[in-house]
Amino acid sequence: EVQLVESGGALVQPGGSLRLSCAASGFTFSNYEMNWVRQAPGKGLEWVSYINSGGNTKNYADSVKGRFTISRDNAKNSLYLHMNSLRVDDTAVYYCARADIVGATGPDFFDYWGQGTLVTVSS
Amino acid sequence: EIVLTQSPATLSLSPGERATLSCRASQSVSDYLAWYQQKPGQAPRLVIYDASYRGNDIPDRFSGSGSGTEFTLTISSLEPEDFATYYCQQRRSWPPTFGQGTRVEIK
């Protein structure tokens, strides 16, 4: 059974930093591209970041570019999101999401999602 | 970036009725469109991908159609568990974008 379990969400002050983690199991993690998608309270879904299976290609939404860094450790079956210079409008539930196709080029659809971890940015 | 506009914002229907949800893209996305279902407090679930293919374990009362800029998600006969918010998403170009959602509520 495919499982994605996020952790690391917390209450943080504006300008602060946080690292989110996503532990994957039930599939060969190193074969799949991965993404982070967020959802502000009561709002819709917003794609945040992408990383390819090898970890050497990354993409970011303009809203987080230069502040967030995606990474992965295939030996540990884990995905990460390092968030710096956090702003109030980064407040959201952050989901890790698996790409639906192995080896696809370009953006993904997302066939498995974690349960999400809440990041609250507030003073 | 490609903007997806969903309509209506809210659909009020009774169990057993047919639901028709629309998603319009600001430019062609070919058939690179998906639909997700999200219930309160839960993660989204992939319902339809590549415009018309059902995701894993999705019942056949769900169907998708369209290509280019106009897409439709149809639920042929609503079951109680189908009342949720539905989002469309394109993967034709970076960044992948979502529509703002259509809430299907019990009338």
Side-chain angles (χ1 to χ4, degrees), chain A residues 37 39 43-47 50 59 95 100-101 105-115, chain B residues 31-34 36 38 42-44 46 49-50 56 87 89-96 98 100:
Chain A
V37 178
Q39 186 169 36
K43 303 298 184 183
L45 301 167
E46 179 189 16
W47 170 79
Y50 156 95
N59 275 320
Y95 296 100
D100 67 322
I101 300 175
T105 58
D108 302 315
F109 296 140
F110 314 113
D111 64 349
Y112 285 95
W113 299 61
Q115 86 289 348
Chain B
D31 60 354
Y32 295 125
L33 191 104
Y36 299 86
Q38 188 179 34
Q42 296 186 16
L46 180 63
Y49 66 95
D50 290 347
N56 291 336
Y87 296 94
Q89 180 235 328
Q90 66 81 22
R91 70 172 191 90
R92 175 63 180 85
S93 65
W94 293 103
F98 292 88
Q100 81 282 15

mmCIF file of all heavy atoms in Angstrom, chain A residues 37 39 43-47 50 59 95 100-101 105-115, chain B residues 31-34 36 38 42-44 46 49-50 56 87 89-96 98 100:
data_model
loop_
_atom_site.group_PDB
_atom_site.id
_atom_site.type_symbol
_atom_site.label_atom_id
_atom_site.label_comp_id
_atom_site.label_asym_id
_atom_site.label_seq_id
_atom_site.Cartn_x
_atom_site.Cartn_y
_atom_site.Cartn_z
ATOM 1 N N VAL A 37 2.307 20.320 -2.731
ATOM 2 C CA VAL A 37 1.120 21.105 -3.081
ATOM 3 C C VAL A 37 0.557 21.654 -1.772
ATOM 4 O O VAL A 37 0.539 20.935 -0.766
ATOM 5 C CB VAL A 37 0.053 20.240 -3.792
ATOM 6 C CG1 VAL A 37 -1.195 21.063 -4.105
ATOM 7 C CG2 VAL A 37 0.625 19.626 -5.068
ATOM 8 N N GLN A 39 -2.485 24.141 0.451
ATOM 9 C CA GLN A 39 -3.870 24.608 0.473
ATOM 10 C C GLN A 39 -4.051 25.527 1.673
ATOM 11 O O GLN A 39 -4.016 25.076 2.820
ATOM 12 C CB GLN A 39 -4.833 23.430 0.544
ATOM 13 C CG GLN A 39 -6.286 23.801 0.418
ATOM 14 C CD GLN A 39 -7.167 22.566 0.234
ATOM 15 O OE1 GLN A 39 -6.918 21.502 0.808
ATOM 16 N NE2 GLN A 39 -8.209 22.695 -0.583
ATOM 17 N N LYS A 43 -9.273 27.601 1.144
ATOM 18 C CA LYS A 43 -8.956 27.970 -0.238
ATOM 19 C C LYS A 43 -8.684 26.736 -1.084
ATOM 20 O O LYS A 43 -8.799 25.600 -0.631
ATOM 21 C CB LYS A 43 -7.731 28.899 -0.251
ATOM 22 C CG LYS A 43 -7.899 30.158 0.568
ATOM 23 C CD LYS A 43 -9.022 31.047 0.056
ATOM 24 C CE LYS A 43 -9.111 32.342 0.830
ATOM 25 N NZ LYS A 43 -10.249 33.189 0.376
ATOM 26 N N GLY A 44 -8.315 26.987 -2.335
ATOM 27 C CA GLY A 44 -8.051 25.912 -3.275
ATOM 28 C C GLY A 44 -6.619 25.404 -3.204
ATOM 29 O O GLY A 44 -5.837 25.764 -2.319
ATOM 30 N N LEU A 45 -6.283 24.549 -4.164
ATOM 31 C CA LEU A 45 -4.984 23.893 -4.204
ATOM 32 C C LEU A 45 -3.993 24.717 -5.009
ATOM 33 O O LEU A 45 -4.331 25.299 -6.042
ATOM 34 C CB LEU A 45 -5.136 22.503 -4.837
ATOM 35 C CG LEU A 45 -6.091 21.563 -4.115
ATOM 36 C CD1 LEU A 45 -6.414 20.354 -4.987
ATOM 37 C CD2 LEU A 45 -5.482 21.110 -2.792
ATOM 38 N N GLU A 46 -2.747 24.757 -4.540
ATOM 39 C CA GLU A 46 -1.684 25.480 -5.225
ATOM 40 C C GLU A 46 -0.443 24.595 -5.272
ATOM 41 O O GLU A 46 0.089 24.204 -4.227
ATOM 42 C CB GLU A 46 -1.360 26.793 -4.509
ATOM 43 C CG GLU A 46 -0.242 27.579 -5.174
ATOM 44 C CD GLU A 46 0.251 28.773 -4.361
ATOM 45 O OE1 GLU A 46 -0.041 28.832 -3.149
ATOM 46 O OE2 GLU A 46 0.927 29.641 -4.916
ATOM 47 N N TRP A 47 0.035 24.295 -6.474
ATOM 48 C CA TRP A 47 1.284 23.564 -6.614
ATOM 49 C C TRP A 47 2.439 24.443 -6.117
ATOM 50 O O TRP A 47 2.485 25.645 -6.397
ATOM 51 C CB TRP A 47 1.493 23.179 -8.071
ATOM 52 C CG TRP A 47 2.861 22.631 -8.332
ATOM 53 C CD1 TRP A 47 3.325 21.378 -8.065
ATOM 54 C CD2 TRP A 47 3.965 23.345 -8.879
ATOM 55 N NE1 TRP A 47 4.642 21.276 -8.421
ATOM 56 C CE2 TRP A 47 5.061 22.468 -8.932
ATOM 57 C CE3 TRP A 47 4.143 24.654 -9.345
ATOM 58 C CZ2 TRP A 47 6.306 22.835 -9.418
ATOM 59 C CZ3 TRP A 47 5.374 25.034 -9.826
ATOM 60 C CH2 TRP A 47 6.440 24.128 -9.863
ATOM 61 N N TYR A 50 8.462 20.813 -7.373
ATOM 62 C CA TYR A 50 8.652 19.524 -8.046
ATOM 63 C C TYR A 50 10.116 19.128 -7.949
ATOM 64 O O TYR A 50 11.009 19.984 -8.004
ATOM 65 C CB TYR A 50 8.240 19.676 -9.501
ATOM 66 C CG TYR A 50 8.870 18.685 -10.463
ATOM 67 C CD1 TYR A 50 8.216 17.523 -10.822
ATOM 68 C CD2 TYR A 50 10.127 18.945 -11.031
ATOM 69 C CE1 TYR A 50 8.796 16.620 -11.706
ATOM 70 C CE2 TYR A 50 10.713 18.055 -11.909
ATOM 71 C CZ TYR A 50 10.043 16.902 -12.253
ATOM 72 O OH TYR A 50 10.617 16.021 -13.123
ATOM 73 N N ASN A 59 11.657 22.373 -9.763
ATOM 74 C CA ASN A 59 10.877 23.528 -10.196
ATOM 75 C C ASN A 59 10.107 24.094 -9.013
ATOM 76 O O ASN A 59 9.758 23.356 -8.082
ATOM 77 C CB ASN A 59 9.891 23.142 -11.305
ATOM 78 C CG ASN A 59 10.545 23.184 -12.673
ATOM 79 O OD1 ASN A 59 11.327 24.077 -12.967
ATOM 80 N ND2 ASN A 59 10.219 22.220 -13.505
ATOM 81 N N TYR A 95 0.901 19.352 1.348
ATOM 82 C CA TYR A 95 0.796 17.945 0.985
ATOM 83 C C TYR A 95 2.003 17.537 0.145
ATOM 84 O O TYR A 95 2.414 18.288 -0.757
ATOM 85 C CB TYR A 95 -0.443 17.701 0.126
ATOM 86 C CG TYR A 95 -1.775 17.952 0.784
ATOM 87 C CD1 TYR A 95 -2.477 19.127 0.558
ATOM 88 C CD2 TYR A 95 -2.364 16.987 1.592
ATOM 89 C CE1 TYR A 95 -3.724 19.346 1.126
ATOM 90 C CE2 TYR A 95 -3.608 17.203 2.171
ATOM 91 C CZ TYR A 95 -4.274 18.388 1.929
ATOM 92 O OH TYR A 95 -5.516 18.600 2.505
ATOM 93 N N ASP A 100 2.016 10.705 -11.167
ATOM 94 C CA ASP A 100 1.229 9.534 -11.567
ATOM 95 C C ASP A 100 1.951 8.659 -12.584
ATOM 96 O O ASP A 100 1.552 7.517 -12.803
ATOM 97 C CB ASP A 100 -0.130 9.962 -12.134
ATOM 98 C CG ASP A 100 -0.001 10.712 -13.455
ATOM 99 O OD1 ASP A 100 0.952 11.505 -13.608
ATOM 100 O OD2 ASP A 100 -0.852 10.516 -14.331
ATOM 101 N N ILE A 101 3.006 9.168 -13.204
ATOM 102 C CA ILE A 101 3.698 8.406 -14.241
ATOM 103 C C ILE A 101 5.186 8.384 -13.921
ATOM 104 O O ILE A 101 5.758 9.406 -13.562
ATOM 105 C CB ILE A 101 3.485 9.026 -15.632
ATOM 106 C CG1 ILE A 101 1.994 9.060 -15.995
ATOM 107 C CG2 ILE A 101 4.254 8.257 -16.694
ATOM 108 C CD1 ILE A 101 1.721 9.759 -17.299
ATOM 109 N N THR A 105 8.091 13.510 -18.649
ATOM 110 C CA THR A 105 8.698 14.839 -18.711
ATOM 111 C C THR A 105 7.603 15.868 -18.487
ATOM 112 O O THR A 105 6.442 15.626 -18.776
ATOM 113 C CB THR A 105 9.361 15.086 -20.077
ATOM 114 O OG1 THR A 105 8.358 14.924 -21.093
ATOM 115 C CG2 THR A 105 10.470 14.080 -20.313
ATOM 116 N N GLY A 106 7.967 16.999 -17.961
ATOM 117 C CA GLY A 106 6.970 18.036 -17.745
ATOM 118 C C GLY A 106 6.243 17.860 -16.431
ATOM 119 O O GLY A 106 6.546 16.982 -15.623
ATOM 120 N N PRO A 107 5.245 18.709 -16.204
ATOM 121 C CA PRO A 107 4.483 18.651 -14.944
ATOM 122 C C PRO A 107 3.718 17.336 -14.806
ATOM 123 O O PRO A 107 3.554 16.581 -15.769
ATOM 124 C CB PRO A 107 3.524 19.838 -15.059
ATOM 125 C CG PRO A 107 4.079 20.712 -16.118
ATOM 126 C CD PRO A 107 4.799 19.807 -17.056
ATOM 127 N N ASP A 108 3.250 17.097 -13.574
ATOM 128 C CA ASP A 108 2.623 15.822 -13.252
ATOM 129 C C ASP A 108 1.149 15.975 -12.921
ATOM 130 O O ASP A 108 0.684 17.067 -12.590
ATOM 131 C CB ASP A 108 3.308 15.221 -12.019
ATOM 132 C CG ASP A 108 4.787 15.023 -12.199
ATOM 133 O OD1 ASP A 108 5.192 14.530 -13.258
ATOM 134 O OD2 ASP A 108 5.539 15.370 -11.255
ATOM 135 N N PHE A 109 0.425 14.861 -13.009
ATOM 136 C CA PHE A 109 -0.759 14.670 -12.199
ATOM 137 C C PHE A 109 -0.287 13.979 -10.929
ATOM 138 O O PHE A 109 0.815 13.444 -10.869
ATOM 139 C CB PHE A 109 -1.792 13.810 -12.916
ATOM 140 C CG PHE A 109 -2.340 14.420 -14.180
ATOM 141 C CD1 PHE A 109 -2.569 13.635 -15.296
ATOM 142 C CD2 PHE A 109 -2.643 15.765 -14.254
ATOM 143 C CE1 PHE A 109 -3.089 14.172 -16.471
ATOM 144 C CE2 PHE A 109 -3.149 16.322 -15.418
ATOM 145 C CZ PHE A 109 -3.370 15.522 -16.532
ATOM 146 N N PHE A 110 -1.176 13.925 -9.921
ATOM 147 C CA PHE A 110 -0.771 13.441 -8.614
ATOM 148 C C PHE A 110 -1.691 12.300 -8.191
ATOM 149 O O PHE A 110 -2.873 12.531 -7.914
ATOM 150 C CB PHE A 110 -0.821 14.575 -7.593
ATOM 151 C CG PHE A 110 -0.193 15.846 -8.108
ATOM 152 C CD1 PHE A 110 -0.947 16.977 -8.340
ATOM 153 C CD2 PHE A 110 1.166 15.891 -8.390
ATOM 154 C CE1 PHE A 110 -0.367 18.142 -8.831
ATOM 155 C CE2 PHE A 110 1.754 17.049 -8.876
ATOM 156 C CZ PHE A 110 0.987 18.171 -9.107
ATOM 157 N N ASP A 111 -1.137 11.074 -8.144
ATOM 158 C CA ASP A 111 -2.009 9.933 -7.897
ATOM 159 C C ASP A 111 -2.084 9.510 -6.438
ATOM 160 O O ASP A 111 -3.032 8.834 -6.053
ATOM 161 C CB ASP A 111 -1.636 8.746 -8.804
ATOM 162 C CG ASP A 111 -0.249 8.193 -8.537
ATOM 163 O OD1 ASP A 111 0.531 8.829 -7.797
ATOM 164 O OD2 ASP A 111 0.049 7.121 -9.089
ATOM 165 N N TYR A 112 -1.106 9.869 -5.639
ATOM 166 C CA TYR A 112 -1.172 9.615 -4.204
ATOM 167 C C TYR A 112 -0.739 10.866 -3.452
ATOM 168 O O TYR A 112 0.220 11.544 -3.852
ATOM 169 C CB TYR A 112 -0.295 8.429 -3.799
ATOM 170 C CG TYR A 112 -0.893 7.096 -4.187
ATOM 171 C CD1 TYR A 112 -0.533 6.486 -5.383
ATOM 172 C CD2 TYR A 112 -1.820 6.462 -3.368
ATOM 173 C CE1 TYR A 112 -1.088 5.271 -5.764
ATOM 174 C CE2 TYR A 112 -2.380 5.245 -3.734
ATOM 175 C CZ TYR A 112 -2.012 4.671 -4.935
ATOM 176 O OH TYR A 112 -2.569 3.466 -5.304
ATOM 177 N N TRP A 113 -1.467 11.136 -2.365
ATOM 178 C CA TRP A 113 -1.213 12.315 -1.548
ATOM 179 C C TRP A 113 -1.048 11.876 -0.087
ATOM 180 O O TRP A 113 -1.692 10.916 0.364
ATOM 181 C CB TRP A 113 -2.400 13.269 -1.618
ATOM 182 C CG TRP A 113 -2.740 13.801 -2.973
ATOM 183 C CD1 TRP A 113 -3.123 13.087 -4.080
ATOM 184 C CD2 TRP A 113 -2.770 15.172 -3.359
ATOM 185 N NE1 TRP A 113 -3.381 13.936 -5.133
ATOM 186 C CE2 TRP A 113 -3.177 15.223 -4.712
ATOM 187 C CE3 TRP A 113 -2.507 16.372 -2.708
ATOM 188 C CZ2 TRP A 113 -3.315 16.429 -5.409
ATOM 189 C CZ3 TRP A 113 -2.653 17.559 -3.393
ATOM 190 C CH2 TRP A 113 -3.050 17.585 -4.742
ATOM 191 N N GLY A 114 -0.245 12.606 0.654
ATOM 192 C CA GLY A 114 -0.223 12.416 2.088
ATOM 193 C C GLY A 114 -1.419 13.082 2.736
ATOM 194 O O GLY A 114 -2.266 13.678 2.059
ATOM 195 N N GLN A 115 -1.477 13.013 4.051
ATOM 196 C CA GLN A 115 -2.605 13.599 4.781
ATOM 197 C C GLN A 115 -2.401 15.090 5.048
ATOM 198 O O GLN A 115 -3.322 15.784 5.457
ATOM 199 C CB GLN A 115 -2.826 12.860 6.116
ATOM 200 C CG GLN A 115 -1.996 13.339 7.288
ATOM 201 C CD GLN A 115 -0.513 12.984 7.171
ATOM 202 O OE1 GLN A 115 -0.116 12.188 6.313
ATOM 203 N NE2 GLN A 115 0.303 13.547 8.053
ATOM 204 N N ASP B 31 -5.111 17.133 -23.907
ATOM 205 C CA ASP B 31 -5.924 16.321 -22.986
ATOM 206 C C ASP B 31 -5.224 16.138 -21.643
ATOM 207 O O ASP B 31 -5.515 15.198 -20.900
ATOM 208 C CB ASP B 31 -6.278 14.972 -23.599
ATOM 209 C CG ASP B 31 -5.051 14.151 -23.949
ATOM 210 O OD1 ASP B 31 -3.922 14.675 -23.820
ATOM 211 O OD2 ASP B 31 -5.207 12.983 -24.352
ATOM 212 N N TYR B 32 -4.292 17.062 -21.339
ATOM 213 C CA TYR B 32 -3.523 16.955 -20.096
ATOM 214 C C TYR B 32 -4.284 17.592 -18.929
ATOM 215 O O TYR B 32 -3.819 18.553 -18.301
ATOM 216 C CB TYR B 32 -2.163 17.605 -20.265
ATOM 217 C CG TYR B 32 -1.280 16.923 -21.276
ATOM 218 C CD1 TYR B 32 -0.739 17.640 -22.335
ATOM 219 C CD2 TYR B 32 -0.979 15.572 -21.162
ATOM 220 C CE1 TYR B 32 0.084 17.027 -23.260
ATOM 221 C CE2 TYR B 32 -0.160 14.945 -22.076
ATOM 222 C CZ TYR B 32 0.361 15.678 -23.132
ATOM 223 O OH TYR B 32 1.173 15.052 -24.052
ATOM 224 N N LEU B 33 -5.461 17.038 -18.661
ATOM 225 C CA LEU B 33 -6.311 17.575 -17.607
ATOM 226 C C LEU B 33 -6.762 16.463 -16.683
ATOM 227 O O LEU B 33 -7.112 15.371 -17.123
ATOM 228 C CB LEU B 33 -7.534 18.281 -18.199
ATOM 229 C CG LEU B 33 -8.274 19.066 -17.113
ATOM 230 C CD1 LEU B 33 -8.009 20.549 -17.235
ATOM 231 C CD2 LEU B 33 -9.727 18.735 -17.048
ATOM 232 N N ALA B 34 -6.745 16.768 -15.394
ATOM 233 C CA ALA B 34 -7.188 15.826 -14.374
ATOM 234 C C ALA B 34 -8.275 16.465 -13.517
ATOM 235 O O ALA B 34 -8.407 17.687 -13.454
ATOM 236 C CB ALA B 34 -6.011 15.412 -13.489
ATOM 237 N N TYR B 36 -9.863 16.080 -9.454
ATOM 238 C CA TYR B 36 -9.663 15.554 -8.115
ATOM 239 C C TYR B 36 -10.921 15.799 -7.292
ATOM 240 O O TYR B 36 -11.603 16.817 -7.451
ATOM 241 C CB TYR B 36 -8.485 16.240 -7.406
ATOM 242 C CG TYR B 36 -7.171 16.064 -8.107
ATOM 243 C CD1 TYR B 36 -6.782 16.923 -9.125
ATOM 244 C CD2 TYR B 36 -6.304 15.030 -7.753
ATOM 245 C CE1 TYR B 36 -5.576 16.762 -9.781
ATOM 246 C CE2 TYR B 36 -5.094 14.860 -8.396
ATOM 247 C CZ TYR B 36 -4.743 15.726 -9.414
ATOM 248 O OH TYR B 36 -3.545 15.555 -10.054
ATOM 249 N N GLN B 38 -12.143 16.222 -3.299
ATOM 250 C CA GLN B 38 -11.649 16.470 -1.948
ATOM 251 C C GLN B 38 -12.811 16.625 -0.987
ATOM 252 O O GLN B 38 -13.703 17.446 -1.212
ATOM 253 C CB GLN B 38 -10.751 17.712 -1.886
ATOM 254 C CG GLN B 38 -10.081 17.878 -0.530
ATOM 255 C CD GLN B 38 -9.172 19.084 -0.437
ATOM 256 O OE1 GLN B 38 -9.436 20.118 -1.045
ATOM 257 N NE2 GLN B 38 -8.085 18.964 0.322
ATOM 258 N N GLN B 42 -9.709 15.994 4.321
ATOM 259 C CA GLN B 42 -9.007 14.911 3.637
ATOM 260 C C GLN B 42 -8.142 15.449 2.507
ATOM 261 O O GLN B 42 -8.341 16.559 2.028
ATOM 262 C CB GLN B 42 -10.004 13.898 3.068
ATOM 263 C CG GLN B 42 -10.832 13.180 4.117
ATOM 264 C CD GLN B 42 -11.705 12.094 3.507
ATOM 265 O OE1 GLN B 42 -11.495 11.661 2.366
ATOM 266 N NE2 GLN B 42 -12.696 11.639 4.261
ATOM 267 N N ALA B 43 -7.190 14.633 2.101
ATOM 268 C CA ALA B 43 -6.377 14.972 0.941
ATOM 269 C C ALA B 43 -7.190 14.784 -0.343
ATOM 270 O O ALA B 43 -8.160 14.025 -0.366
ATOM 271 C CB ALA B 43 -5.141 14.072 0.896
ATOM 272 N N PRO B 44 -6.800 15.470 -1.398
ATOM 273 C CA PRO B 44 -7.463 15.233 -2.691
ATOM 274 C C PRO B 44 -7.246 13.804 -3.166
ATOM 275 O O PRO B 44 -6.269 13.140 -2.796
ATOM 276 C CB PRO B 44 -6.774 16.237 -3.627
ATOM 277 C CG PRO B 44 -6.235 17.288 -2.720
ATOM 278 C CD PRO B 44 -5.830 16.561 -1.473
ATOM 279 N N LEU B 46 -7.362 11.514 -6.853
ATOM 280 C CA LEU B 46 -7.392 11.587 -8.321
ATOM 281 C C LEU B 46 -8.597 10.805 -8.852
ATOM 282 O O LEU B 46 -8.704 9.598 -8.632
ATOM 283 C CB LEU B 46 -6.090 11.028 -8.892
ATOM 284 C CG LEU B 46 -5.941 11.033 -10.414
ATOM 285 C CD1 LEU B 46 -5.955 12.454 -10.953
ATOM 286 C CD2 LEU B 46 -4.654 10.320 -10.814
ATOM 287 N N TYR B 49 -7.841 11.339 -15.087
ATOM 288 C CA TYR B 49 -6.598 11.881 -15.629
ATOM 289 C C TYR B 49 -6.633 11.799 -17.146
ATOM 290 O O TYR B 49 -7.422 11.042 -17.716
ATOM 291 C CB TYR B 49 -5.376 11.169 -15.050
ATOM 292 C CG TYR B 49 -5.270 9.710 -15.446
ATOM 293 C CD1 TYR B 49 -4.492 9.317 -16.530
ATOM 294 C CD2 TYR B 49 -5.949 8.730 -14.730
ATOM 295 C CE1 TYR B 49 -4.404 7.977 -16.900
ATOM 296 C CE2 TYR B 49 -5.863 7.403 -15.084
ATOM 297 C CZ TYR B 49 -5.086 7.025 -16.175
ATOM 298 O OH TYR B 49 -5.006 5.707 -16.533
ATOM 299 N N ASP B 50 -5.783 12.587 -17.788
ATOM 300 C CA ASP B 50 -5.767 12.653 -19.254
ATOM 301 C C ASP B 50 -7.190 12.843 -19.806
ATOM 302 O O ASP B 50 -7.559 12.232 -20.815
ATOM 303 C CB ASP B 50 -5.104 11.420 -19.858
ATOM 304 C CG ASP B 50 -3.604 11.383 -19.607
ATOM 305 O OD1 ASP B 50 -3.044 12.422 -19.180
ATOM 306 O OD2 ASP B 50 -2.996 10.331 -19.826
ATOM 307 N N ASN B 56 -7.490 5.016 -10.037
ATOM 308 C CA ASN B 56 -7.624 3.724 -9.361
ATOM 309 C C ASN B 56 -8.876 3.687 -8.494
ATOM 310 O O ASN B 56 -9.113 4.590 -7.689
ATOM 311 C CB ASN B 56 -6.398 3.469 -8.489
ATOM 312 C CG ASN B 56 -5.149 3.232 -9.314
ATOM 313 O OD1 ASN B 56 -5.223 2.834 -10.461
ATOM 314 N ND2 ASN B 56 -4.006 3.515 -8.717
ATOM 315 N N TYR B 87 -11.771 19.627 -8.087
ATOM 316 C CA TYR B 87 -10.811 20.532 -8.708
ATOM 317 C C TYR B 87 -10.310 19.952 -10.026
ATOM 318 O O TYR B 87 -10.028 18.749 -10.109
ATOM 319 C CB TYR B 87 -9.592 20.744 -7.807
ATOM 320 C CG TYR B 87 -9.871 21.425 -6.494
ATOM 321 C CD1 TYR B 87 -10.122 20.691 -5.338
ATOM 322 C CD2 TYR B 87 -9.865 22.811 -6.393
ATOM 323 C CE1 TYR B 87 -10.371 21.315 -4.126
ATOM 324 C CE2 TYR B 87 -10.109 23.445 -5.180
ATOM 325 C CZ TYR B 87 -10.367 22.691 -4.071
ATOM 326 O OH TYR B 87 -10.621 23.311 -2.859
ATOM 327 N N GLN B 89 -7.144 20.207 -12.909
ATOM 328 C CA GLN B 89 -5.706 20.545 -12.895
ATOM 329 C C GLN B 89 -5.112 20.233 -14.253
ATOM 330 O O GLN B 89 -5.435 19.208 -14.850
ATOM 331 C CB GLN B 89 -4.969 19.745 -11.828
ATOM 332 C CG GLN B 89 -3.465 20.042 -11.752
ATOM 333 C CD GLN B 89 -2.595 18.808 -11.883
ATOM 334 O OE1 GLN B 89 -2.967 17.712 -11.469
ATOM 335 N NE2 GLN B 89 -1.406 18.969 -12.465
ATOM 336 N N GLN B 90 -4.250 21.119 -14.744
ATOM 337 C CA GLN B 90 -3.581 20.881 -16.024
ATOM 338 C C GLN B 90 -2.103 20.593 -15.829
ATOM 339 O O GLN B 90 -1.475 21.105 -14.893
ATOM 340 C CB GLN B 90 -3.782 22.071 -16.975
ATOM 341 C CG GLN B 90 -3.130 23.377 -16.552
ATOM 342 C CD GLN B 90 -1.642 23.483 -16.866
ATOM 343 O OE1 GLN B 90 -1.140 22.771 -17.761
ATOM 344 N NE2 GLN B 90 -0.931 24.351 -16.155
ATOM 345 N N ARG B 91 -1.560 19.754 -16.674
ATOM 346 C CA ARG B 91 -0.113 19.511 -16.651
ATOM 347 C C ARG B 91 0.478 19.740 -18.051
ATOM 348 O O ARG B 91 1.523 19.191 -18.386
ATOM 349 C CB ARG B 91 0.211 18.117 -16.128
ATOM 350 C CG ARG B 91 -0.159 16.958 -17.030
ATOM 351 C CD ARG B 91 0.421 15.669 -16.423
ATOM 352 N NE ARG B 91 0.333 14.542 -17.334
ATOM 353 C CZ ARG B 91 1.279 14.224 -18.198
ATOM 354 N NH1 ARG B 91 2.377 14.942 -18.288
ATOM 355 N NH2 ARG B 91 1.133 13.158 -18.970
ATOM 356 N N ARG B 92 -0.180 20.594 -18.822
ATOM 357 C CA ARG B 92 0.311 20.856 -20.187
ATOM 358 C C ARG B 92 1.605 21.666 -20.150
ATOM 359 O O ARG B 92 2.489 21.489 -20.987
ATOM 360 C CB ARG B 92 -0.754 21.606 -20.979
ATOM 361 C CG ARG B 92 -0.320 22.048 -22.382
ATOM 362 C CD ARG B 92 -0.014 20.874 -23.269
ATOM 363 N NE ARG B 92 0.389 21.288 -24.600
ATOM 364 C CZ ARG B 92 1.635 21.624 -24.912
ATOM 365 N NH1 ARG B 92 2.576 21.628 -23.980
ATOM 366 N NH2 ARG B 92 1.920 21.985 -26.154
ATOM 367 N N SER B 93 1.700 22.595 -19.193
ATOM 368 C CA SER B 93 2.904 23.422 -19.116
ATOM 369 C C SER B 93 3.125 23.871 -17.683
ATOM 370 O O SER B 93 2.209 23.851 -16.852
ATOM 371 C CB SER B 93 2.767 24.638 -20.038
ATOM 372 O OG SER B 93 1.731 25.490 -19.586
ATOM 373 N N TRP B 94 4.375 24.298 -17.428
ATOM 374 C CA TRP B 94 4.732 24.812 -16.105
ATOM 375 C C TRP B 94 4.186 26.224 -15.913
ATOM 376 O O TRP B 94 4.236 27.039 -16.827
ATOM 377 C CB TRP B 94 6.253 24.849 -15.937
ATOM 378 C CG TRP B 94 6.897 23.507 -15.899
ATOM 379 C CD1 TRP B 94 7.590 22.912 -16.907
ATOM 380 C CD2 TRP B 94 6.908 22.591 -14.796
ATOM 381 N NE1 TRP B 94 8.020 21.684 -16.492
ATOM 382 C CE2 TRP B 94 7.622 21.450 -15.216
ATOM 383 C CE3 TRP B 94 6.389 22.621 -13.493
ATOM 384 C CZ2 TRP B 94 7.841 20.357 -14.373
ATOM 385 C CZ3 TRP B 94 6.602 21.533 -12.664
ATOM 386 C CH2 TRP B 94 7.316 20.426 -13.106
ATOM 387 N N PRO B 95 3.716 26.509 -14.689
ATOM 388 C CA PRO B 95 3.513 25.599 -13.568
ATOM 389 C C PRO B 95 2.210 24.823 -13.710
ATOM 390 O O PRO B 95 1.252 25.312 -14.332
ATOM 391 C CB PRO B 95 3.434 26.557 -12.384
ATOM 392 C CG PRO B 95 2.789 27.775 -12.950
ATOM 393 C CD PRO B 95 3.313 27.899 -14.356
ATOM 394 N N PRO B 96 2.124 23.608 -13.161
ATOM 395 C CA PRO B 96 0.817 22.950 -13.127
ATOM 396 C C PRO B 96 -0.138 23.810 -12.315
ATOM 397 O O PRO B 96 0.246 24.361 -11.275
ATOM 398 C CB PRO B 96 1.110 21.622 -12.437
ATOM 399 C CG PRO B 96 2.373 21.835 -11.681
ATOM 400 C CD PRO B 96 3.156 22.869 -12.425
ATOM 401 N N PHE B 98 -4.342 24.590 -10.872
ATOM 402 C CA PHE B 98 -5.634 24.049 -10.494
ATOM 403 C C PHE B 98 -6.725 25.092 -10.732
ATOM 404 O O PHE B 98 -6.472 26.305 -10.643
ATOM 405 C CB PHE B 98 -5.646 23.703 -9.000
ATOM 406 C CG PHE B 98 -4.751 22.564 -8.607
ATOM 407 C CD1 PHE B 98 -3.425 22.787 -8.268
ATOM 408 C CD2 PHE B 98 -5.233 21.266 -8.555
ATOM 409 C CE1 PHE B 98 -2.591 21.748 -7.897
ATOM 410 C CE2 PHE B 98 -4.418 20.203 -8.176
ATOM 411 C CZ PHE B 98 -3.094 20.456 -7.850
ATOM 412 N N GLN B 100 -10.389 26.707 -9.330
ATOM 413 C CA GLN B 100 -10.721 27.171 -7.987
ATOM 414 C C GLN B 100 -11.684 26.229 -7.266
ATOM 415 O O GLN B 100 -11.948 26.405 -6.069
ATOM 416 C CB GLN B 100 -11.327 28.588 -8.045
ATOM 417 C CG GLN B 100 -12.796 28.658 -8.413
ATOM 418 C CD GLN B 100 -13.098 28.498 -9.896
ATOM 419 O OE1 GLN B 100 -12.255 28.062 -10.689
ATOM 420 N NE2 GLN B 100 -14.311 28.854 -10.288
#
